[in-house]
Every structure is written in C-alpha cells, then in structure tokens.
Amino acid sequence: MEWELMLWLLSFFSVAAALGFVIYQLMCLSDLELDYINPFDSASSINKFVLPEFIIQGSLAGLYLLTGHWIMVLINAPMTYYNVNLFLKRQHLVDVTEIFNVLGKEKKHRLIKLGFYVLMFFIVIYRLVYTAVVSIIEGDNVGSHVESF
Amino acid sequence: MASTPPRQDVPPMLPDASSARAQPYSSGPTGVGTQPFRPSTQNQGTYPVPPFRPDQTASYAFRPPPNQGPVYRPPPSTSDRASGYPYTQSSSQPASAGPPLNQPPSVSSTPGSLSSSSYYPRMPAPPQFRPPSAVPSSSGQVMMPQPSLPGQGASAYSKSPITGPVSMSQTVNPLASTAGPFPVQPAILNQPSMSTVGLSRTGQNVPGPFSTSSRSMPINPVPSSGPVLPGIPQSLPGMPVSNQNPAGQHPAGPVSTPVNQPPPMFTSQVSNQMSVNRQSSAPAPGSFSSPPKAPTATPARGPPTFGLPATSAPVPNIPPPLPNSASVGPGFPGQMGTYNVPQGQGLSNPSQYPPAFGSVQSAQYPQYASGAPSLTSDGQLNRATAYPGAAPLYQNVQGLVEEFQSLSMISGPGSMEGSVDASALPRPELQDSDYPVQSSPANCHGRYFQLTCNALPNSQSLAARWHLPLGAVSHPLAEAPLNEEVPVIDFGSSGIIRCRRCRTYINPFAVFTDNGRRWKCNLCNLNNEVPSDYYCPLDQTGRRTDVHERPELSRGSVEFIAPAEYMVRPPMPPVYFFLIDVSFSAIKTGMLQIAVDTIKSCLDKLPGYPRTQIGFLTFDSALHFYSLKSTLTQPQMMVVADLEDPFLPMPDDLLVNLSESKSVVEALLNSLPSMFKDNLNVESAVGPALRSVFMIMSQLGGKLLFFQSSLPSLGVGRLKMRGNDQRVYGTDNEPSLRNPEDPFYKQMAADFSKMQISVNLYAFGDSYVDLASLGTLSKYTAGQVYFYPSFQPNLSGEKFRYELARDLTRETAWEAVLRIRCGKGMRFSKYHGHFMLRSSDLMALPAVDCDKAFAMQLTLDETLLTTQNAYFQSALLYTSSNGERRIRVHTAAAPLVSDLNEMYRAADTGAIMMLMSRIALESSLVSKLDDVRQQAVQSKLVRAFREYQNLFGVQHPLTGRLIYPESLKLLPLYCLGLYKCLALRGGHTNATLDERLFATFDMMVMSVPRLLSLLYPVMFRLDEHLLHGDADIKAIQRLPLTSEKLDARGAFLVNDGVRFIIWLGSVLPVDFSIQLLGIEAVQSGDFNKAVFDGNNNVSKRFATLLKSLRSRNPAVFQQCHFVRQGDQPREGFLVLFNMVEDRPAGLVGYADWMSQLFRQVKQKA
C-alpha cells in the first residue's frame, strides 16, 4: 500500500500545481482584460506556465495508465488528447499579437481546465485520504494483529 | 440694398467665409420664444443635437456648428467677449492667421455692451465677425449699426420685410451652408445677408440638420454674390404667394445645387410652417435687449422675419427660383441658407434620404465638402425639420413617397436565369462624395470618423436584425483640405479638461450646468467640476458665453497639446532606419540604386529637422553595420557574420542625428551601390538582421524601412517556398498559406510594437518572397506593405520612388496610441487594421500617418439603451515630428433609434464596405476563400436585404422586384467588387499568393474613398476625352465596368485607385496611338517604350489628366499599364478581371449577381 499512498500524494501535489498554473493563467488573462497588465507581459507569463502544466497533466495520465487506475485514465484522457493536439498544432502558446481576439476563447478553455483540475483535486484528495486511512487501518490492524499475538 | 460683392472678392476680409468648407456654426442659442427642445419619445430619428438646456424655457441652445475653418477669427475688437477668450487675434487681423489658438485673450469685453455681444454670438463662429472696417467693404451697402442695437434689430425684423431678411441672413446663414445638400433657395438667403454687414459672413456652411442619411455635402459656401441682393426683394413678396402655390414649385429650384430630388413638397411646407409658427408665436423682443440673450437674438430675428411672411405662407413656396439663384446659389452658401434653410431643410429632409447617396451629389460639392454637420445653429429653423415636431411629418410623407427603391427582376417562370435590365442597375456616379454629411454640427467630419450607420440601434434585438457590420471607420490623421486643418489647442498649465471617470475629453456635446461650474460628460453622464481657470458663465440658453472662441466646445475635431503627464518618456525624435537587402537579386533588379537615390534626395525633407535620426544596416549572408559618427569623413563598415547570436559591433553611432552626420550619411549613400554592385551572394539573413535592428532601435523606436528582394534563407526566420503549391487550395490548410510560416515574425512584430518601432516593408519579388510572413511585421506595427512584383527600374521605378519618398516625407505621428471611447451600453469589440492592441480598446501605433485608416465593430452590451444619442470619441495620442506631444480628438454623435427602417435610411455604404471587406479579409486568414466569399460577403448581403424585404414586402407586395433602401443601393455592386477583388478572387490560378496578400495588406489600411474606387474602378473613354474634351476630370463620363462598353475603336482608362489601366482597342486610329504613346512604341508594339513628351495636344492632355487623377489619390503612385485589345493573357488579367460587371471564368456578372441576390432574398423570406 505504500506505493499507492505515494502515488496519490504525488498526484495531490501535481494537481495542486496544475491548478495553480491554470489559476495564474486565468488571472493573467483577466488582468489583461481589465488593463492591469500589458499584453506582452501577460502573454509571456502565461506561456511560461503552459508547457509545465501540459507536462504535469500528461505525466499524471501516464502514471495512472501504468499503475492501472483505469478510471483516472479515462477522466484524464480527453484533456490529454486536447493538450497534445494543441501542442502538435503549435497552438498551445498564446499569440501576443492576437491575444485580444482570442481572449474570450482562451479564458473559456482555461475555465474548463480549471473545472477539470478542481474535479481532479477532489478525487485525488479523496483517494489520498482513503488510501491513507486504509493504510493506517491496515497498519493498525497489522500492529494489533501482531500485538495480539 | 446694393448687391454685395461676391464674397470671393472679399477674401482678405473674410477669408473664412469664402471657404466653402469652413463651417461656422450659426448662432448658438436660438431666439426667444422657441420652445425648449424636447426629445420626443416617438421620433426615434432625432439626431444628436447639441445639448440644450431644458430648464430655460426661452431658448434652446444649439451647439455652434463646428467651425471647420482652421482659423479662428477674432470677433471685432469692439465686441464684448467673454473674458476668457482663449485665442484671440486682433480683430484687424485677417483670418489667415488662424493657428495660434492658445493666445491669451487679447480683448476683454465689457459685458455691458450688449449690442455687439448680441450679434456676436449669433454669428457663426469667428469668421462671422468682421472687423468693423471690413464690413463696409464686403458689402457695399450694409447697415452697420443694426446688428449692434438689439432693440432695433428685433423690431426691424418684425416690421420690415427687408430687415427681416437681413436678420435672417445672419442667423440663418449658417444654415444655408448647411442646407447645401438640400435645395436651398439662394435668393432668399442672399437678401438677408445683404442687409446686415456682419451677417453676410455668416454664410459658412452649416450642415443641414438632417444630414444623417444623406451623403450629399453642403454646398460650398460661395462668397455672397451681388446678384443676391436684387433677388431679395422679389423673393420676399413672392413668399406669400408661393405658399399658395401648389407644391409643384421647386423650393429647391433656386438652389444651384443639382439636387434633383423631387422633394415631396408638402413635407417641406409643413415642416416649415411649423417652425415658422413657433417662431412667430413667441417672438420675444425683450430677449434682444438683454445682453446675455444677445446671442440668441440673431436667431430670434431670423424667425421673426421669417415668420412674418412665413407665418402666413409656408416658406417652401418661396418665389420660384429666384433668378439669382442659379448664379448666386453656389456662391452663397451661407446667406442663402438663411431663408432657404428652413425650406431647404424641410424639403430636404424628405427627399434627402432617398436620393442622397448616389444620385444627388453634384459636382458642386467638393469631394471633401464640409463635413459638417447638418444641424445648424439656428435652432428655430432647423428645429422645424430636425426636431421632433417636424420629424414625424416628414417621416410620414417620406414613407408614402419613396421609402425604398426597387429593381424589377424578371424572374418569372419563363426564364430561370432571371434577367435584369443591366442598364437600370444602380452604379456610383463620378462625383459621389465619399463622406456623408454629419448628423450634427458638432460632429467631426466623416473623413475622420464615420459610422457604418448614422442611426444606431437602441437595443440588442434591433442590432441583431441589422445584418450588416455595425461599427465605425476611424481615420484620425486623414488629410484635410486646405483651410480645414484641425485646430490646435493648448490648455497650458491647467491641463486638458477630461471627464474624471471615463476620461472623455471635453467636447461640443458636453453640457455645462450649475451656471458653468460643472459639466456633464456626454459619454458617461458624470458631473465634473470645471477648473477655475476654465470657468465661464453661461448665457441664458445654458451655453457658455465663450463657446465660439473655444474650438473644443464648438468643433468635432480638435488637437490638444498634451502636457508632461501624457508622456512616459521625453518625446522621441523621428527615427528612420533603413534595413536594405544587398543580395544578388536586390542588385540585379536595380532596387538598391533607386532606393539609395531616393533616400538621398529626401534627406533634406525628412520631418523633424534637426532632431531626426537615421541609421543603416545592409545584409546578405552577413550583416553590415555602418558607423555614421559625425566626426568621420567616411562611414565605417563593420561586418558581423555570426547569425546565431548577432551582436552590435559598436554600441553607438549606428543610429545618428541626421543634421550632424549628414555628410557621412551622404557618403554612405553614394558608395552603397558601388560597394555591392558585384555582390553574388544570394543568401538573405533576414531574421538576424531584424534582431540586430531591434537592438539598435529599441532605445528610441521609430520607423524601420525594410527593403527585401528575396526569400529569407539564413538564420532564424528562414522561410520555405510554399506559395506554389496549388494542391493546398480548397483544403483546410489553405488559410495557413496566408499566415506567417514562422512564429518568429509575429514575435518580432510584437517586440517591434512594444519598442515603438514601425516596419514598412518594401518587397521586390522576382519570385515568391512570402509576404504572408514578412508582411506580418508591418501588420502589427502600424506599418504598410509595398510590393513590386517583377521589379524593373524603368517600369516600376517611378512608382517605387514616389512611394518611398512619400513614406519618408509625409507627416508622421510617432509613438501613438489610438482609443475610441463610446457611451455606456456599447463598446467596440473588434478592431481591424494595422496595429497591435495594447489593451482591449487601445491600439498601439508606433508610427501612423495620413494613409492609414482603422475599422472597428460595435457591440451593444445592454439589451436596451435609453439615451437619445450615442457619442463616440476617438483620441489619438502621439508625438509630432517636431517633438510635441499631442492628442487629436474627434467627437461624433449619432441618434439611437428603435426602428430598423431608420437605420437603413442612415446607412453609409462606404463605411459598411470598409468594415465588411476588412472582416472578410481577416476571415480569409482562417478560412478558405470560397467560404469567405460566401459567408462574409454574400450571405451578409442577402440577410440584410431579406430583412429589408420583410420590412416593406408585406405592405408593398411587389412581385418580381427587389426592394432595397436607397442608402444601400450600391452595396450589392461593391460587394460584387469585393467578391472579385484581387485579395479574395478565385483560387490558385487567379492571383499569386504574394499579390493576393499584398492586396490584403493594402486593403487593410486604405481609406474609404480608395477602397470604393478599388472595388468599383472608374472607367471612361480616353480617346474622346483627350481629343475633344478639356482635361477636366469632372467632364469624365463614367462608364459601367463591362467589356461591352469597350469599343475597339477607342481607348479606355480604368482607374482602380492603385494603377491606371489603359486599354487600347484593336482598331484605334493609329495616329491617336502615335500621339499618345510616341511612334516608337506603336511600331514596336512595346509599351515600355512609350514616351509622353507632351509635344502634341493628346499627349499634353493625357499628362494633365494623369496628374490631376494622381493628385486626387496621393497615397500611392498610380502607374500606367497599357494593354492592347486581344493581348492575352495580359488583357485578361489587367482589364477583364477588373470588369466587375462581367462574368469571366465562372464568376457572376452584375445582373446575375442581382438576380441571385433576389432569389436568395426571396427564398426564405
């Protein structure tokens, strides 16, 4: 059970990080919309976090696949497909020259992503706690079992 | 009264008056006794009116019509001015000294002197005031005193007809000019002017109140002519009579203007009567006496005089065309306006809409005729027409008379094809003015800011039914004709007056309240404090007493000098950096030599001396830097071959002050061609060169002129040949050809824009140069793309020379930002043009000039707007070449309406086409050409016409007829032109990728007049013109663009605003060809050998013709292309494809297009 716990713990931090990235990107976009930031800075700070987020998401999906968490793989598959697709079309980065024309679209996409990561976050927390509790209980059981001997 | 000399004769005295364009506004406050203007809820069509103060029952304040004349004329010295007069010039000065607006008030007037003041205000802006001395001269027999004495004036009006007219003239005059579009009776107007001295000047054009829909321009104000006077007496008596006369008479008749509308007489009469009645009913002599009212007095007089005769008899019927009218009419805008105005307007209103756009324009209207506003200051007269009361009347009538136009489509069962009489199809007239008259006097001229529809929808649901693009065209630096320059205002230390919340600049639509201590922002309705040094008391009408001295309160276009808080750094000097390709192809084509020669010849003409900075970098497979240090005698060249990580060999002296280093620069230019004349290097390291330039220029910004003659092949940003792949057309990958291949260019463009660098690309392509990628640099940096395919010095050299010289010498606005503000509930959602958005509504324009226009789409945010009018303000903050920070502000207003029909009537075809074509071009970057043509052009057109059909199809079941609004009668034709334009036409075989993209880039910056002539070129018969006609362009008879009109015995010229195409018929008389082209060219059949030596009449006239045509379109050099009939494929490409009405190669012709349109409209209707 140790590795299981490790997996969820890793997932937890990863998802939290991805969540943070997406929220940051969204903030950049809305700052841009409200004119608190210029498009150059906005685009460059968004673009800085696009790839890391993709990598995190992709590796998590890979990890679930390897560890046989099929449900998690299914949940992650559409997002992975979307990301890979964007990357292959080289449209993953925000285009600073057209940023205002795609602002609405980019925001919408990121809001959906945000929803996805929030969902992931809760699932992961649940699984993490569940796994932890189970392992503790089991550990207790083992311990008590030992003690009982 | 003797006839006054024509105004023209009086120029020194009244410079302004003479200029037709100047629009003085007429008196501000209207006369006493007028009812307060109340926006009527019913009539949606009310046009934005200058703010009026409801609380003051006596009057309504009209905004003074914007004074278009650059020059502000000081009122007579004697007159009492508001102390605050900002830019006074001594009265004695001729108007010519316009510019210095910011001078401190030279004359302080005593409030006490009513007389002068009283008439002062009325007078149309400054120009009206004549120095006392001037008066007599201008009009031989003028009674000076009258105007001054308030009491007299008033009484006089009422009593004697003569005086009446006089007074009228003064007040009305402005109107007259405004009335231009409308039929104005010159005679009447003139009379009034005669009587009063000062008044006569007033005659500047004031736009008619209603101008919104109509394109017609105000008549040029002509100096009052002598004949007018005589006419007057006649007219007066005639008036009553005329009333009796049935409508049959032409109110308009007198007007010289070629308005040929058969105006529904009744409407005009009615409206006039109304106005008259009001006026007459409430004549308040008392008002005159009081000083504050003085301003109002003029208007008041007008009415009374008017009223006397008028009350009994509606004006319209005024004596039939005064004999004078013909002669006088044109000449006298202002004066004529006085009486006529009311009439004219009344008449015009109804008639105005329909005929307005295409047909009405007469040659008389100058192309740029006063843009001015239709509303004249004179409230009363205008009111009748412009205001609610009158509106319903005219609407009704109009509805009956001609609400729409229709075209009979014989699409019966017999013929599937649906044949249309091609000759009956609407076509633009040669003299169509390109800009509509503005709907309000305080509006800026249409050349600066133009809405696609001058009546905006007040709800989202209505906007959704308007299927055409809703938005605006902004051309902030449009070239203004002489005398119409935008006035410059310096607020000095007090700072520019702006709204606290929305940052709107003070403008003529702002309403002052609280006795002048506050002003209400017209965009956001916030009450702002008026700074103490800007304070000025209000007169009884609620207008500031200094309105006429402050252009920002009376004119739609002004320029403020911006204080230090508008700078983030010291104003930059003009910077010109030349990045020149010196690879083999550049040398071979001769581009380098011409470029260098042109630059050399323009060195002295670069703007901004002595601050101008200049620098050079040349490149092939390496980068060549030049140190131009002023202490050197010869430039020092440094070569950097490291393309991966280019560096600057020296930090300074790569960009130097031109005045200091001029000799070094010249030495460099002299040696450049010889240095590289044997260069065999064919590589082109564009990317590294751009990066180096960026390093050099990033400190200052400026303009980068980038000369490129081959495909970038080395270093970052290298590109592949991809333009020849015709398999891509029709697939989903097709649009990618029109996008930059390498993201490097977009990134570079963004960096350039950030550092205030504007890139103008000069591409010389023997073969594919990938304009899609290279042009991106210009697209996002407010630059421009020039493209010379298959460049040969003897063919395109002159064009290149001209365009480069223009680029270098035209006045340029540096480090500019453009923002368009609009009132609550709406916003501009999308912008189209060459710029980069720095925030959602701020366009960054590193360098912008008079050849660049922008378009934007308007979105309604609120479901229902409750205000009467919508206001727009475009503000361009820039650094002028001489290092001054300035803000150019254009303010416009449009009424909000709830009726779709009103919108159709007020639609502006030019602006619609502009916006539509830009939307289509942008969508061609993401979708296939076929789809673009279908969706962005055709389906929009169909939906709009279907909606219109639904409006009227039910009441008027005209089977077999296509119904369309008069204002949009040319829309299908222009859409067809767009459908077939180079940028969107056909597929792979119809245009090379580079040419297509060049057309796209060009159309993304061009102004409305250029666009329209590109979409539907002007064609006329050249040989007749050269042999018989004089070389006057106005005599040209424009022919429909169809090859049927091409007569093998003649020569024809097609002018599409980009080039001249001259088609020579196969049996054109040889001697004509020889005269035109020279014997050598004719014998050899090689038009390149054509000589225009001007040694015979034909050649001479031809040269004159070209010159005058080119002078009308200075933005580009229109090169002549000669084509002989049957010379394929050249003929097909140059001429036949331009025959918009034909149907070559599977495209539709005009008649087919219309019947197709008709069928589609009917289909789902």
Side-chain angles (χ1 to χ4, degrees), chain A residues 32-35 37-41 47 90 94-101 103, chain B residues 741-743 746-747 749-751 753-754 779-780 819 830 836-840 922:
Chain A
L32 181 66
E33 202 172 14
L34 298 174
D35 205 8
I37 188 175
N38 71 50
F40 309 102
D41 296 347
N47 289 343
R90 297 173 70 189
V94 173
D95 178 359
V96 62
T97 53
E98 295 291 341
I99 191 166
F100 286 101
N101 292 334
L103 196 63
Chain B
E741 180 189 348
D742 191 331
K746 272 195 169 181
Q747 189 56 49
D751 291 343
S753 175
K754 189 178 177 183
K779 180 177 176 184
Y780 294 108
R819 171 172 271 142
K830 278 210 151 195
M836 190 165 144
L837 284 177
R838 187 163 302 159
S839 73
S840 53
E922 287 204 343

Side-chain angles (χ1 to χ4, degrees), chain B residues 27 29-32 114-116 118-120 122-123 143-158 163-172 195-197 199 279 283-284 287-288 294-308 339 380-381:
Chain B
S27 66
T30 62
V32 183
L114 300 178
S115 65
S116 65
S118 67
Y119 92 104
Y120 158 69
R122 303 172 179 178
M123 315 290 288
M143 328 185 20
M144 296 287 297
Q146 280 193 358
S148 63
L149 300 180
Q152 286 184 354
S155 63
Y157 292 145
S158 59
T163 56
V166 172
S167 62
M168 289 302 294
S169 68
Q170 293 181 352
T171 58
V172 178
S195 62
T196 54
V197 175
L199 299 178
Q279 298 171 357
S287 64
F288 293 99
T296 57
T298 6
R301 293 178 184 176
T305 55
F306 196 1
L308 291 179
Y339 261 106
Q380 297 176 346
L381 294 180

